[in-house]
Amino acid sequence: MSKTFSKEEVASHKTPQDLFIIVDDDVYDLTEFQAEHPGGQKILQRVGGKDASKQFWKYHNEGILKKYKAKLQVGSLDSKPKATLPPTPPATPPPAEKATDKVKPEAEPGTIVPMPTKDAHEAKESIDPYGSLIPYADPSWYQSYRSPYFNLTHAALRAEVREWVESEIEPNVIEWDEAKNVPETIYKQMGERGYLAGLLGLHQYPTHLTKYRVKSVGPEQWDLFHEMVITDEISRAGSGGVVWNLIAGFGIGCPPLVKFGEKSVVERILPEILNGNKRICLAITEPDAGSDVANLSCEAKLTEDGKHYIVNGEKKWISNGVFCDYFTTAVRTGGPGMNGVSALLIERENGGVSTRRMDCQGVWASGTTYVTFEDVKVPVENLLSKENQGFKVIMTNFNHERIGMIIQCVRFSRVCYEESMKYAHKRKTFGKNLIEHPVIRLKLAHMARQIEATYNWMENLIYQCQVMEETEAMLKLGGAIAGLKAQATSTFEFCAREASQIFGGLSYNRGGQGAKVERLYRDVRAYAIPGGSEEIMLDLSIRQALRVHKALGMKL
């Protein structure tokens, strides 16, 4: 704001009919707002015309300030320090000439192999520190640690997504969560900003399917770590429901269409999905078939003329189903077991599809849905891959689905940790801040060690997904990703519980300083069960690892 006030001027605005306060040297007019204040009007009137910074930060977090700043701020104090521009850096000196034999091997007497010169070990530059710099509140590459996976394009994307999330999403999360929906305009922005096209688990950005591009990253530079950054930064909003609304159905329902759909169907449908005008989800789970995918019963029968399938059956716990136009659906076209399963793209507009929202413990804004298919007529062109080979489509998709859930779980764990660290520095008990109590530091340390261990395993597996061919990745990494999914969800559950203990009663009621922790605590089961429950994942991780390593020549 350009208007400035002296403290004396602010002090004159102290009546219920003319109420100003100061927070961090900024001046706010609460005259109209006081009637809306959840804590009542009197508490505001007691600080009318005064600096209320201490009282504000005692009961609120920065999310509240971000939400109301533009609406209520009328200026700043004339004593507020002016923002200064950073000094102009000195001119960059010309690069020194480098030896042409930079990595030339040098043989030495007595050595078995040639030794590389010292120039061969060139240190990778760290990326400038970013974010709050609270230890472990962000990945290490945000905090000046060197990384082999991230470069300046990832840093630019990180800044782009964070700015969007902090301005458009985070201030509204509580409202959207309570409303159990996210405005369509936000989902539309996901398409227009190029984010949807970047969340398909593809090694190359699909420029042939969308006119939109990610502003900060060229399509030719795109990799799976850029996809990870988008999911990670959106998850900082601290709501599984909001993240699932924007990412879940699309992220697991669209890749099978892109990879296995007929070209004509892909070209007809994908552009409208990728620009955010149409929505798609994955419909596999049934009332009687969850992790046991091979035993699903939703049936698709081929018509006598061979031109359509007629689909009948039910699907349950389908993310985003109530919002969607298309359903990537697992159906039974053959005999029992996995060899009788096919994958079909079902279009709502063809009729026979009904959806109803399910009320669940967590992820309220995700649109969890019960879907009923009654004599739905599906063109045979909408078959994904070949008839009775849908199980491969499903299995190929699981790695991408679980990696997405892992990214979200790790960031949610960080949110619980970061909120706890901030609160522990301002909440006082027994005459000192919580952070000064060893038991609180112990809780934070256990949270941090699990977060960092899980995150580094995740980075490793995303790199393997990046460099391996898709079939190799499906065969080799399925077990490891399943194990990591269990590790990530148990870490999330641990951090949510410990954060709740640190916040105490504030994490028990919705809203306020403990809002993120309360909301994420509700979301824990939505990650520990869907996508493969922890027990199934842990068993699969060992069975699959033994199968792979036996093929590699394991010696016992």
Side-chain angles (χ1 to χ4, degrees), residues 57-70:
W57 292 116
K58 183 178 181 180
Y59 298 110
H60 304 90
N61 55 33
E62 64 268 27
I64 297 298
L65 198 63
K66 289 177 183 176
K67 181 175 182 178
Y68 291 104
K69 190 179 182 76

Side-chain angles (χ1 to χ4, degrees), residues 480-498:
I481 290 173
L484 177 57
K485 198 255 182 185
Q487 167 70 12
T489 56
S490 60
T491 296
F492 178 24
E493 182 167 13
F494 176 83
C495 291
R497 183 195 183 279
E498 293 299 89

Side-chain angles (χ1 to χ4, degrees), residues 255-307:
L257 172 60
V258 174
K259 296 175 183 178
F260 297 100
E262 283 199 10
K263 184 178 179 181
S264 60
V265 176
V266 172
E267 291 178 346
R268 173 172 64 89
I269 290 174
L270 252 293
E272 285 292 283
I273 293 177
L274 295 184
N275 67 19
N277 285 334
K278 299 285 187 178
R279 300 189 66 159
I280 189 171
C281 64
L282 183 69
I284 294 179
T285 305
E286 299 181 0
D288 295 318
S291 297
D292 190 10
V293 176
N295 285 321
L296 57 85
S297 61
C298 183
E299 186 178 55
K301 289 187 175 181
L302 196 63
T303 56
E304 290 185 2
D305 60 10
K307 293 182 179 180

Side-chain angles (χ1 to χ4, degrees), residues 364-427:
W364 289 355
S366 68
T368 305
T369 305
Y370 193 100
V371 184
T372 304
F373 299 118
E374 295 179 319
D375 295 326
V376 182
K377 197 172 183 180
V378 182
V380 293
E381 292 80 13
N382 286 26
L383 181 68
L384 306 179
S385 188
K386 297 179 181 179
E387 189 174 278
N388 297 327
Q389 292 187 18
F391 198 75
K392 178 184 175 182
V393 176
I394 296 168
M395 291 299 104
T396 302
N397 202 47
F398 269 141
N399 279 358
H400 182 248
E401 175 183 3
R402 289 167 183 158
I403 284 287
M405 298 182 78
I406 290 163
I407 296 168
Q408 293 163 44
C409 280
V410 176
R411 176 53 80 172
F412 290 154
S413 300
R414 289 195 195 275
V415 170
C416 290
Y417 166 87
E418 181 178 6
E419 292 294 300
S420 299
M421 181 66 82
K422 289 177 179 178
Y423 184 68
H425 276 80
K426 69 178 182 178
R427 167 66 169 160

Side-chain angles (χ1 to χ4, degrees), residues 16 19 34-37 39-46:
L19 186 66
Q34 57 184 315
E36 305 172 26
H37 186 239
Q41 301 182 45
K42 292 293 184 183
I43 193 171
L44 297 180
Q45 292 168 10
R46 285 199 293 269

Side-chain angles (χ1 to χ4, degrees), residues 49-61:
K50 301 175 184 177
D51 189 331
S53 301
K54 183 177 180 180
Q55 294 91 331
F56 179 86
W57 292 116
K58 183 178 181 180
Y59 298 110
H60 304 90
N61 55 33

Side-chain angles (χ1 to χ4, degrees), residues 229-247:
V229 167
I230 292 177
T231 301
D232 184 47
E233 284 294 329
I234 292 176
S235 299
R236 278 191 75 251
S239 170
V242 170
V243 174
W244 280 22
N245 185 294
L246 299 178
I247 290 177

